[in-house]
Amino acid sequence: MAESYAESEIEVKDEESSGCESPKLGRKAMDEISDQELTGVPLQSAWTFWLDKAVRGTSAAEYEATLKKIYTVNTVQGFWSVYNNIPDPCLLNARYSYHLMRDERRPVWEDEENSQGGNWRLKCNKADTSQVWKELLLAAIGEQLSDNMAKGDQVTGVSVCVRDRDDILQVWNDRADLEKGSTVLPKIQSLVPTVKFSAAFYKPFVMHDAFEGTKKKAGSRH
Amino acid sequence: MSSASGEPKVQGRDIPNRRVVLNDISQLPSEYSTTPGGTFFSTTPGGTRIVYERNFLLQCRNSPLAKSPPANMLEIPGITSPAKPGVKENGDHSLKSVKEEKAKVSAEDAQFEMDI
């Protein structure tokens, strides 16, 4: 029974555009999908690793020139294959940041999909940065923070910003107006119970002096 | 589905969560289109949200697929490719110029304090 069903399915597929099939990818696109993306454990959504370098006083264009998309992952293995092969944040020089953003959104405040949101910012001792960063990444891709967000809100990214003294960890959300309904800060503390954050607060992107207005494809300042 | 056209009557609902705890990677279904516990890999209205426990994610870290970098990852010297042969883990080479900016940094740190 199962075999004959499978056969008939193949026949349907051969007829042009049956409508309910997955979109057909060209051979080139298929070739570009690496092995881990075909056989790995799927994530709730794709996530994109970004690298940037924040320098005060640069123009938006200059900032964007430093923003680099490292890779977009769709699976747990794909996530690790990137994480395992880029330097730990403690090896980055000051002013550099890693971001892991949901789908392919950029870590830019003013981009349309971000501008209504904001982020929680946690200042932490450099000795703790790597551990907190890893736990934030796992909580994000495992959707462990979704229960801690207000209804209608979601985590849209996590960042680690390497600074001269304490580093800054960030969790981005969609809706600054729903921040009050979130319990994300206590949740983060529960992920790293021994870590002491010297500061932790939320700030909507529009409240930053450097915010340049929605949609304008301008750079963020971290 | 018809468009909601902003009617306040239309009520959203939470995406239902269903937690499936895995103890070993071998408990995963073999098909890509299936997630642990038999849910589908997609989120549709009323669909499921895929939640993975930390320990499960960590177990995947050492799978063969997770060890080598994606073949087509962007080449960034000092990050995804060696700054020079043999010093892959060290960003110092290509990122050296950052050190020169240290003087400017204290200004922003001060701003962070003010943010609080």
Side-chain angles (χ1 to χ4, degrees):
Chain A
M1 284 293 278
E3 278 176 25
S4 64
Y5 177 76
E7 271 176 28
S8 66
E9 203 170 51
I10 289 168
E11 281 171 21
V12 170
K13 221 184 234 174
D14 285 341
E15 290 168 23
E16 192 58 37
S17 68
S18 60
C20 57
E21 297 294 329
S22 300
K24 288 196 173 88
L25 294 174
R27 171 152 299 280
K28 187 159 177 276
M30 288 297 288
D31 287 345
E32 283 173 0
I33 298 176
S34 52
D35 284 347
Q36 57 262 48
E37 297 299 308
L38 291 173
T39 57
V41 180
L43 297 172
Q44 167 70 27
S45 69
W47 292 87
T48 303
F49 279 95
W50 297 85
L51 173 79
D52 76 28
K53 179 179 144 189
V55 181
R56 278 184 79 74
T58 53
S59 73
E62 282 169 330
Y63 166 75
E64 290 196 35
T66 75
L67 182 61
K68 292 191 165 49
K69 184 196 282 189
I70 299 174
Y71 202 70
T72 300
V73 299
N74 296 286
T75 66
V76 179
Q77 286 84 349
F79 162 80
W80 285 120
S81 76
V82 176
Y83 178 91
N84 286 340
N85 290 285
I86 57 175
D88 189 273
C90 70
L91 295 172
L92 293 181
N93 282 335
R95 315 312 294 166
Y96 280 82
S97 300
Y98 282 133
H99 310 270
L100 184 74
M101 305 300 292
R102 194 183 288 277
D103 304 313
E104 293 193 56
R105 69 181 67 209
R106 307 190 308 168
V108 176
W109 301 340
E110 293 86 351
D111 278 3
E112 202 170 4
E113 61 266 60
N114 296 328
S115 61
Q116 301 302 308
N119 56 22
W120 287 272
R121 308 178 138 227
L122 300 101
K123 207 169 167 182
C124 94
N125 190 291
K126 281 189 180 297
D128 299 320
T129 300
S130 296
Q131 183 202 355
V132 179
W133 175 232
K134 188 170 84 172
E135 295 302 328
L136 280 184
L137 289 172
L138 296 183
I141 65 167
E143 304 292 345
Q144 291 288 327
L145 302 176
S146 55
D147 288 345
N148 303 93
M149 306 299 288
K151 186 176 173 179
D153 196 10
Q154 66 171 346
V155 171
T156 53
V158 290
S159 308
V160 56
C161 308
V162 179
R163 298 295 181 255
D164 267 351
R165 289 179 290 163
D166 291 345
D167 295 330
I168 303 166
L169 280 299
Q170 301 176 355
V171 177
W172 300 51
N173 78 332
D174 244 350
R175 299 265 306 266
D177 60 328
L178 297 178
E179 173 262 331
K180 290 275 183 284
S182 153
T183 53
V184 85
L185 286 179
K187 172 68 176 180
I188 292 169
Q189 185 67 73
S190 77
L191 296 174
V192 285
T194 61
V195 172
K196 289 224 185 326
F197 296 105
S198 56
F201 62 93
Y202 182 86
K203 190 162 183 176
F205 297 136
V206 293
M207 298 297 283
H208 285 272
D209 289 343
F211 186 82
E212 295 185 17
T214 306
K215 275 197 265 190
K216 193 177 164 191
K217 293 286 183 189
S220 71
R221 314 287 178 270
H222 298 288
Chain B
M1 296 187 98
S2 58
S3 62
S5 69
E7 286 292 322
K9 288 173 194 166
V10 180
Q11 287 203 333
R13 52 172 288 201
D14 291 336
I15 296 174
N17 282 340
R18 192 173 148 211
R19 287 180 186 263
V20 181
V21 178
L22 300 171
N23 297 311
D24 190 88
I25 199 163
S26 65
Q27 292 173 327
L28 281 174
S30 56
E31 290 171 42
Y32 181 58
S33 60
T34 310
T35 49
T39 53
F40 286 112
F41 174 33
S42 63
T43 304
T44 51
T48 54
R49 180 181 282 275
I50 307 172
V51 175
Y52 292 124
E53 300 292 340
R54 173 182 184 276
N55 287 346
F56 171 72
L57 294 172
L58 285 171
Q59 279 179 16
C60 298
R61 182 173 185 179
N62 295 316
S63 78
L65 290 172
K67 284 188 174 167
S68 51
N72 50 352
M73 187 156 68
L74 180 67
E75 215 174 277
I76 308 172
I79 301 293
T80 62
S81 65
K84 72 174 193 184
V87 291
K88 179 169 185 172
E89 298 302 324
N90 191 341
D92 275 347
H93 267 271
S94 63
L95 309 182
K96 192 188 270 179
S97 60
V98 184
K99 304 256 189 207
E100 296 158 15
E101 293 151 17
K102 279 193 175 174
K104 305 178 193 168
V105 167
S106 52
E108 172 154 330
D109 278 355
Q111 192 205 20
F112 191 96
E113 309 281 0
M114 279 165 26
D115 280 346
I116 300 166

